[in-house]
């Protein structure tokens, strides 16, 4: 929530001191309000993520069905779209719990950080 609020504040400042003032100020205020809502209702983030993933999953399955009817894609692409759509929908259902979502985000950040250290060969020497 804090990074979201910082982005909102930066947009407001850019609107006050830069070009296209009204749009940036309005966007900054809306993003700032969203950040405050995330602090007040921590489950809101998990709800939004789960809804977005579920909608993407449903849209992928619909895309696959339409592609199959129109025969506009190869069968392998259609099957992959259905499988990925089902996985996205299942992840959306799983991420409804803020604790699960927070744990997975933390685990992902640890893995990405460790891989970044390995990529740059910055491991400490003993």
């Amino acid at each position: 929530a804090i990074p979201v609020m910082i982005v909102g504040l930066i947009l407001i400042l850019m609107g006050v001191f830069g070009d296209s003032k009204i749009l940036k100020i309005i966007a900054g205020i809306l993003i700032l309000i969203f950040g405050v809502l995330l602090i007040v209702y921590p489950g809101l983030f998990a709800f939004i993520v789960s809804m977005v993933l579920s909608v993407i999953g449903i849209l992928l399955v619909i895309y696959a069905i339409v592609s199959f009817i129109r025969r506009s894609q190869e069968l392998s692409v259609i099957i992959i779209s259905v499988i990925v759509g089902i996985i996205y929908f299942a992840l959306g259902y799983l991420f409804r719990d803020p604790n699960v979502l927070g744990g997975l985000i933390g685990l992902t950040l640890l893995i990405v950080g460790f891989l970044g250290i390995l990529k740059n060969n910055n491991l400490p020497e003993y």
Side-chain angles (χ1 to χ4, degrees), residues 15-89:
V16 170
F17 297 112
D19 298 337
S20 66
K21 296 179 180 187
I22 292 294
L23 292 177
K24 287 184 182 175
I25 291 173
I26 291 172
I29 290 170
L30 290 174
I31 291 172
L32 191 61
I33 291 170
F34 182 67
V36 170
L37 286 174
L38 288 177
I39 288 176
V40 175
Y41 303 107
L44 179 65
F45 179 70
F47 173 76
I48 290 171
V49 169
S50 71
M51 290 304 296
V52 167
L53 286 174
S54 297
V55 168
I56 290 173
I58 291 169
L59 290 176
L60 280 171
V61 171
I62 291 171
Y63 167 77
I65 292 169
V66 170
S67 295
F68 181 75
I69 292 171
R70 291 185 175 179
R71 301 193 193 283
S72 61
Q73 295 289 336
E74 294 181 21
L75 187 59
S76 61
V77 174
I78 294 170
I79 292 171
I80 290 172
S81 295
V82 169
I83 292 170
V84 171
I86 291 170
I87 291 171
Y88 269 35
F89 187 79

Side-chain angles (χ1 to χ4, degrees), residues 82-126:
V82 169
I83 292 170
V84 171
I86 291 170
I87 291 171
Y88 269 35
F89 187 79
L91 288 175
Y93 182 76
L94 177 68
F95 289 161
R96 288 183 187 185
D97 184 7
N99 296 324
V100 172
L101 181 60
L104 289 175
I105 290 173
L107 181 64
T108 302
L109 291 174
L110 285 173
I111 292 170
V112 168
F114 185 71
L115 291 175
I117 290 171
L118 288 178
K119 179 181 176 187
N120 295 330
N121 212 4
N122 291 331
L123 291 174
E125 295 181 22
Y126 296 102

